[in-house]
Amino acid sequence: MDFFWFRRDLRLVDNRGLDLAMARSSALQPIFIFDPTILSQLEDKADLRVQGIFLLLQRLDEQLAQLGSGLRLFFAEPLEAWRQIAAETQIGTVYGNEDYEPYPMRRDHTVQEFLQSIGAQMVWCKDQVIRAKAEVLKPDGKPYTVFTPYKRKWLETLERQDITPSQSQPQKANWVDRSEKCGVLDPEWIGFSRSGFELPKIETSHLGRYGEVRDYPALNATSQLGFHLRFGSVSVRQWAQRAQSTNETWYSQFIWRDFFMQILWHFPHVVHGPFRPEYGAIQWENNPEAFERWKQGQTGYPLVDAGMRELAQKGTMPNRVRMVVASFLSKHLLIDWRWGERYFAQKLLDYDLAANNGNWQWAAGTGCDAAPYFRVFNPETQLQKFDPQACYVKAWVPEFGTPDYPKPMIDHQWARQRALASYQRAVKK
């Protein structure tokens, strides 16, 4: 029997690994494995992303039911799950789509070695990105570490098929008969609580003017596409193709996504430390009380506080505001960017390791950015420019403008000079 291992690709249409499996196999069993190693990193047992995964799996299972099949679910270390499957049936070929994060790559290598040891085959496909790993390199064969030249090469070498969605449709003939599932489609099965969470609805009305509206949080112009790309419930090729003919700035976001993914693949040390090693010498203040005020949205800087409160309540935050709050933590409060990155990892609905890490290091000035470290966002200026009527702020900080709202916890100019001095000392070392 052959298998398709669903992971970050929870859809039946334009799924590269699944397309290949359906082309080759006439007895395909779809499975999904809840990995305790990944789930153990989630602190909130009502985590909205877990709820979202179950909703996506329910939808996927309903679609498979129409084809006479159904998902088989496991809650186990992936290697143990495959050992259990191998004990029950003879495994022919397992199809799946590549992951480029360090832990999933180690996990997949271990599973592949096991399958080979029992005479089975593992076939991987590229699906979650448009250009992967070492597909876009400098003339000397080294990876790009600055976005603009990477983008130029990405566009120059892009071929039509790279962003052309597949037109194949799942057929009943490809699947094994629907059988009793191993596991249930309920978060409580894996130790998480239920909630009234609803899948984010993709909003397209602003995308034609994405470059004009994306920096203004009160316009609520966020597409919500990030969540669906993270879990693969939509095709990155379908949406990149649409962006290509819709808005150049929006199209660039797909290239940024590939850029950070290849940075993570080429330089896995960024998971635990700065991209530029010299910034490992920064002397962070790391004040726990200041960090807590930042998390709670009680800094006295309205745009920062509004963003942090939205994040805590909804798991979302507009792009411009993400940059402001990240800069404030690392530059104003001089708190290690990794503290903020970990907090975002716990809260963001669209959390993606490569993008989250890349953007935090960009804001902190420790990453692969051509600009020097002395970019420090002024949160007051950012408010005046991008939310001049404080519409976004008032939606999340109702006490803004009243005596109940706190004074700024730190002076901008003083904090800026302190940050620059700390970074300069680190560079000199």
Side-chain angles (χ1 to χ4, degrees):
M1 183 185 297
D2 294 338
F3 294 82
F4 183 75
W5 184 6
F6 281 101
R7 292 114 67 85
R8 293 182 57 167
D9 47 13
L10 303 183
R11 67 187 188 284
L12 297 182
V13 178
D14 189 34
N15 182 321
R16 289 282 172 87
L18 185 57
D19 286 347
L20 182 63
M22 290 189 298
R24 294 182 177 181
S25 178
S26 58
L28 194 62
Q29 171 68 63
I31 74 165
F32 183 87
I33 303 172
F34 288 99
D35 188 341
T37 299
I38 293 176
L39 293 171
S40 66
Q41 299 172 15
L42 304 179
E43 298 174 359
D44 185 359
K45 292 305 178 182
D47 192 290
L48 298 180
R49 293 162 298 187
V50 174
Q51 319 298 320
I53 290 172
F54 272 95
L55 292 175
L56 292 172
L57 290 174
Q58 286 174 359
R59 185 170 71 183
L60 189 59
D61 191 57
E62 290 168 359
Q63 293 170 345
L64 287 166
Q66 295 176 7
L67 299 170
S69 188
L71 275 173
R72 187 174 183 190
L73 305 177
F74 292 86
F75 177 35
E77 296 292 340
L79 180 58
E80 293 306 313
W82 285 108
R83 282 176 173 161
Q84 178 182 336
I85 294 170
E88 298 171 353
T89 187
Q90 183 174 355
I91 301 175
T93 302
V94 177
Y95 297 88
N97 289 311
E98 294 175 325
D99 203 316
Y100 309 108
E101 297 178 3
Y103 166 70
M105 289 176 63
R106 294 193 301 270
R107 173 200 65 199
D108 294 349
H109 179 71
T110 300
V111 169
Q112 183 166 338
E113 284 189 329
F114 167 72
L115 292 172
Q116 291 174 342
S117 74
I118 60 172
Q121 184 181 10
M122 182 82 235
V123 176
W124 298 113
C125 293
K126 178 186 70 173
D127 180 75
Q128 65 171 281
V129 293
I130 299 168
R131 315 295 294 279
K133 299 187 288 193
E135 290 185 12
V136 180
L137 297 172
K138 294 190 290 186
D140 62 4
K142 294 180 180 179
Y144 285 96
T145 59
V146 176
F147 176 71
T148 299
Y150 173 86
K151 175 183 176 180
R152 189 180 303 116
K153 184 68 171 288
W154 191 99
L155 290 169
E156 288 173 355
T157 57
L158 183 74
E159 298 184 6
R160 177 174 294 181
Q161 62 265 28
D162 291 328
I163 58 170
T164 301
S166 165
Q167 300 302 314
S168 63
Q169 295 291 326
Q171 304 295 324
K172 286 187 176 182
N174 289 117
W175 305 95
V176 298
D177 293 337
R178 186 174 182 87
S179 59
E180 184 177 350
K181 302 186 198 70
C182 175
V184 292
L185 282 166
D186 189 327
E188 292 185 351
W189 178 54
I190 60 171
F192 284 76
S193 59
R194 303 174 191 172
S195 75
F197 177 73
E198 296 182 359
L199 292 175
K201 182 180 179 181
I202 298 175
E203 176 57 59
T204 61
S205 59
H206 291 287
L207 294 178
R209 299 186 302 125
Y210 180 82
E212 304 168 37
V213 302
R214 65 171 181 163
D215 287 326
Y216 297 89
L219 296 178
N220 194 25
T222 303
S223 69
Q224 304 297 338
L225 188 60
F227 170 88
H228 294 280
L229 289 173
R230 169 65 181 84
F231 295 111
S233 53
V234 299
S235 160
V236 66
R237 288 167 294 281
Q238 175 190 350
W239 285 93
Q241 187 180 67
R242 181 170 178 175
Q244 186 184 45
S245 59
T246 302
N247 185 276
E248 182 180 354
T249 306
W250 178 32
Y251 188 37
S252 291
Q253 298 307 299
F254 291 89
I255 309 176
W256 271 108
R257 189 170 178 269
D258 281 4
F259 175 70
F260 282 138
M261 194 69 78
Q262 63 95 31
I263 287 292
L264 179 64
W265 189 79
H266 284 287
F267 307 99
H269 72 270
V270 298
V271 174
H272 303 293
F275 174 80
R276 300 182 186 279
E278 61 267 29
Y279 293 117
I282 295 173
Q283 296 298 306
W284 303 104
E285 292 290 325
N286 289 345
N287 184 312
E289 293 182 4
F291 183 56
E292 193 62 29
R293 288 188 63 174
W294 176 81
K295 286 168 50 179
Q296 298 299 323
Q298 295 289 343
T299 68
Y301 284 95
L303 193 58
V304 173
D305 294 341
M308 295 307 297
R309 295 187 194 187
E310 179 184 358
L311 176 64
Q313 294 180 43
K314 291 184 59 182
T316 58
M317 190 189 300
N319 182 65
R320 168 64 56 172
V321 184
R322 294 189 193 197
M323 292 189 289
V324 174
V325 303
S327 175
F328 186 85
L329 182 75
S330 55
K331 302 289 181 60
H332 283 72
L333 301 183
L334 212 58
I335 289 176
D336 194 327
W337 58 269
R338 286 166 287 201
W339 289 31
E341 183 200 30
R342 285 192 293 270
Y343 183 69
F344 270 36
Q346 292 293 327
K347 295 295 183 181
L348 279 175
L349 280 181
D350 61 1
Y351 169 70
D352 176 279
L353 173 58
N356 191 52
N357 182 281
N359 282 311
W360 265 98
Q361 295 222 41
W362 181 90
T366 64
C368 48
D369 181 34
Y373 60 80
F374 50 73
R375 180 201 302 109
V376 181
F377 284 102
N378 182 331
E380 294 176 324
T381 302
Q382 293 287 308
L383 175 64
Q384 294 164 9
K385 186 174 182 180
F386 297 110
D387 192 25
Q389 304 301 317
C391 296
Y392 173 73
V393 165
K394 291 174 183 176
W396 293 103
V397 188
E399 74 274 23
F400 172 67
T402 74
D404 294 330
Y405 188 63
K407 300 291 184 183
M409 63 184 293
I410 197 167
D411 177 73
H412 167 69
Q413 288 299 334
W414 181 86
R416 181 179 184 277
Q417 292 304 318
R418 180 181 65 163
L420 294 179
S422 181
Y423 275 67
Q424 287 167 357
R425 287 193 297 270
V427 172
K428 289 179 179 178
K429 287 184 179 181

